[in-house]
Amino acid sequence: MIADSPESSLDAIRREIDSIDDRILRLLVRRSAATAKVKATKAQDGSIASSPFRPAREAAMMRRLIEEAGSALSPQLLVRLWRVILSASIQSQAPVTLHMDGAQGRDLAMRLLAAHHFCDMKVELHTSPSRALGAVGAAPGDLALIAPGSDWAAGFAEGAAGSAQVILTLPVLARSSQPRLLVFGHAAPQPSGDDETLLLVPGEKVTVVGALWQVYSGTATLASLNGFLDHPPSLHPGTRIAGRYPRPLKVSQ
């Protein structure tokens, strides 16, 4: 019996890879067609004018995929792949602009963080966090990306963002509790099964017991609490909920 040469064995493996790639492509085409059905349904019921983002669904999807993959594929790889797919799906439903404060928008690390999650979505820079929030308040389908410790809380409390709230934090794969960017949008808040609630507490350097993380924005304290809360706890007069969002997936060092 004559054994296959290394070259012929490698050719066979490459043919197998080509066949797998063809199947992946066909599945992506099917997924794109399903997304088109979603867009058509939203056009009929009038919801296409609202935000195309569904952070709770995306978070639950990624948790399921990461669990199913186990040790065969890294969470980083899965998140990167599905962010490209999900971003394309969102933009096929409606164009999206990301609004950022100019100081953060010109920071290379922040721009890369935004690009990794939102891919090639358009970015528009503003002269302040409040102006970025104002742009989102006027455009329900857009998002604002704001650094937690920047001076945005006063503008938010005054209604600069309209009905927009924090719907997501970045990065979605995190080694620490405190996020680098808060994502404001008009998507209806829905529990994902593992969530946090962001409180806006009037007053500088207020200590919030039980906070997962807290920072200061101007003269207000931001504190994240565990769970999807319907009402803010009685911590301080004027305390309000600034958003509810899926908890980032923790990754090892």
Side-chain angles (χ1 to χ4, degrees):
M1 180 176 180
I2 299 175
D4 290 339
S5 69
E7 290 79 6
S8 63
S9 297
L10 187 57
D11 286 342
I13 296 171
R14 286 171 174 162
R15 286 193 296 272
E16 180 184 6
I17 290 173
D18 289 343
S19 177
I20 293 170
D21 286 343
D22 290 343
R23 281 179 277 170
I24 292 173
L25 177 60
R26 288 193 290 271
L27 288 173
L28 287 173
V29 171
R30 285 181 58 189
R31 196 186 196 285
S32 179
T35 299
K37 293 179 183 178
V38 170
K39 180 179 180 179
T41 300
K42 288 183 177 181
Q44 289 180 349
D45 62 21
S47 62
I48 196 165
S50 64
S51 174
F53 292 90
R54 295 295 179 268
R57 171 169 165 73
E58 290 182 10
M61 178 192 307
M62 290 313 310
R63 291 171 191 153
R64 174 177 59 82
L65 293 171
I66 289 171
E67 182 178 359
E68 288 188 7
S71 60
L73 295 170
S74 73
Q76 290 87 345
L77 173 61
L78 288 172
V79 169
R80 181 67 64 85
L81 287 172
W82 257 264
R83 282 312 312 161
V84 173
I85 294 170
L86 292 172
S87 294
S89 175
I90 288 169
Q91 291 188 95
S92 73
Q93 297 179 51
V96 176
T97 297
L98 309 176
H99 300 275
M100 300 181 73
D101 168 38
Q104 300 301 325
R106 288 186 288 271
D107 183 292
L108 179 59
M110 293 299 190
R111 287 296 290 267
L112 286 174
L113 180 59
H116 286 164
H117 192 81
F118 297 108
C119 301
D120 61 348
M121 292 184 187
K122 178 184 175 183
V123 176
E124 184 174 326
L125 302 185
H126 299 267
T127 56
S128 70
S130 289
R131 287 187 177 276
L133 290 177
V136 168
D142 289 352
L143 299 175
L145 278 56
I146 307 291
S150 64
D151 191 11
W152 62 268
F156 179 81
E158 293 169 0
S163 62
Q165 291 192 332
V166 179
I167 61 172
L168 183 70
T169 61
L170 296 180
V172 296
L173 287 174
R175 293 183 173 86
S176 63
S177 298
Q178 184 171 323
R180 296 171 64 192
L181 286 174
L182 304 175
V183 181
F184 290 78
H186 293 267
Q190 296 177 324
S192 71
D194 187 15
D195 303 284
E196 298 178 14
T197 297
L198 182 63
L199 301 181
L200 179 59
V201 186
E204 292 183 79
K205 300 185 178 180
V206 177
T207 300
V208 179
V209 177
L212 302 172
W213 58 268
Q214 65 177 63
V215 296
Y216 311 112
S217 172
T219 59
T221 298
L222 312 175
S224 182
L225 297 184
N226 183 50
F228 190 93
L229 305 182
D230 292 323
H231 305 283
S234 302
L235 298 173
H236 188 282
T239 296
R240 60 183 293 182
I241 290 176
R244 292 166 289 181
Y245 47 87
R247 189 193 308 277
L249 294 161
K250 292 295 184 288
V251 294
S252 59
Q253 297 288 345

